[in-house]
Amino acid sequence: MQSEIKNWGFQEYLSAGYFFLLLLGVITESVFYRIIGINILQYAGLSDILISPISLLTANPFLIIILLIITGFTYLFMKHLLPKMANRKAAGKAVPISDTRLLLLMAQFVLFLFIGIEIGRGLKLKAKIAEGKTLPDFIIKFSESGEQPVKVVGQNASYLFYVPEGEKQVIICPIGGNIIQMKKLVNP
C-alpha cells in the first residue's frame, strides 16, 4: 500500500482530501447535532457537510493556530526527533516513519480534535437548553409571525436551527419563504 501511495499524483491526493473532508464533516456534524437531539443528515446536503469543518475553522481563528501548531509539532517529532531518540537508545539504525503513516497520524489528530470540539460544544449547548438559559444572539423576522429573539444553534443552506428565548427545545425552520431578516445582536 505504501508504494501505491508514494506514486499518487495531484488528483489522487485531491480525491483523498475530498473524502477526508466529507468524512470529517459527516462525523463532526452528526456528533454535535445528535447531542442536541437532531439527526442532521435528514436536513443537510452534501455542500453543507463539506463546508462544516471549514466553517468551524473560520469561525474561530484560534483553532487554526492550534491546528497548525499540533500538526507542525507532530511532523517535526515524528520525522526528526523520534528517529534521533531511537538511534540513541538502540545500537542499530532506527527506521524512520513513512510519509504515509505520518499523514494518517496527522489526519487522526485532526479528526479527534474536531470530534472533541463538537462534543464539547454540543454538551455545553445541551445543558444551556435544558436549563432554559440560552441567550438570544439574533432577532429573526418571520414572514407571518413577526420578530422573535432567538439563539441560533446552526444553519445550513435550507434550514435554520434555533432556540427561542426562554424555551427548552430546538426548533427547525425551513429558511425559504419563512424568514425575511436575521438581525445579529451586538452583545449576546
Side-chain angles (χ1 to χ4, degrees), residues 36-38 125 129 153 160-164 168-172:
I36 59 173
I38 298 170
L125 183 61
I129 291 171
V153 173
L160 180 69
F161 307 91
Y162 67 91
V163 179
K168 294 184 177 183
Q169 66 180 2
V170 178
I171 295 177
I172 303 166

Side-chain angles (χ1 to χ4, degrees), residues 110-167:
V110 170
L111 179 66
F112 292 139
L113 175 69
F114 274 74
I115 289 172
I117 289 169
E118 293 298 347
I119 288 172
R121 281 182 58 221
L123 292 175
K124 183 178 177 182
L125 183 61
K126 182 180 180 181
K128 283 185 178 183
I129 291 171
E131 296 170 359
K133 293 184 179 179
T134 55
L135 297 174
D137 56 354
F138 281 90
I139 294 178
I140 299 178
K141 186 175 184 181
F142 293 96
S143 60
E144 295 183 14
S145 62
E147 293 184 350
Q148 186 175 20
V150 301
K151 167 68 177 163
V152 173
V153 173
Q155 178 180 351
N156 60 28
S158 303
Y159 294 94
L160 180 69
F161 307 91
Y162 67 91
V163 179
E165 187 175 21
E167 298 274 333

Side-chain angles (χ1 to χ4, degrees), residues 63-101:
L63 183 59
I64 295 172
I65 294 168
I66 294 288
L67 190 62
L68 290 174
I69 289 171
I70 287 174
T71 54
F73 277 129
T74 301
Y75 178 81
L76 288 174
F77 180 75
M78 298 304 279
K79 281 304 256 186
H80 301 290
L81 296 176
L82 191 63
K84 287 181 183 179
M85 291 180 353
N87 279 338
R88 289 181 191 158
K89 290 183 179 179
K93 184 173 176 152
V95 179
I97 189 167
S98 69
D99 290 339
T100 305
R101 288 185 186 201

Side-chain angles (χ1 to χ4, degrees), residues 9-65:
F10 179 74
Q11 181 63 40
E12 287 82 8
Y13 280 112
L14 190 63
S15 297
Y18 179 82
F19 178 73
F20 180 71
L21 193 61
L22 181 63
L23 182 69
L24 185 64
V26 167
I27 291 173
T28 57
E29 288 287 288
S30 295
V31 165
F32 173 72
Y33 282 102
R34 178 55 62 193
I35 289 172
I36 59 173
I38 298 170
N39 182 359
I40 192 64
L41 297 178
Q42 292 178 340
Y43 300 100
L46 182 62
S47 62
D48 299 322
I49 296 296
L50 287 171
I51 292 174
S52 67
I54 297 166
S55 173
L56 183 63
L57 281 175
T58 57
N60 191 353
F62 183 69
L63 183 59
I64 295 172
I65 294 168

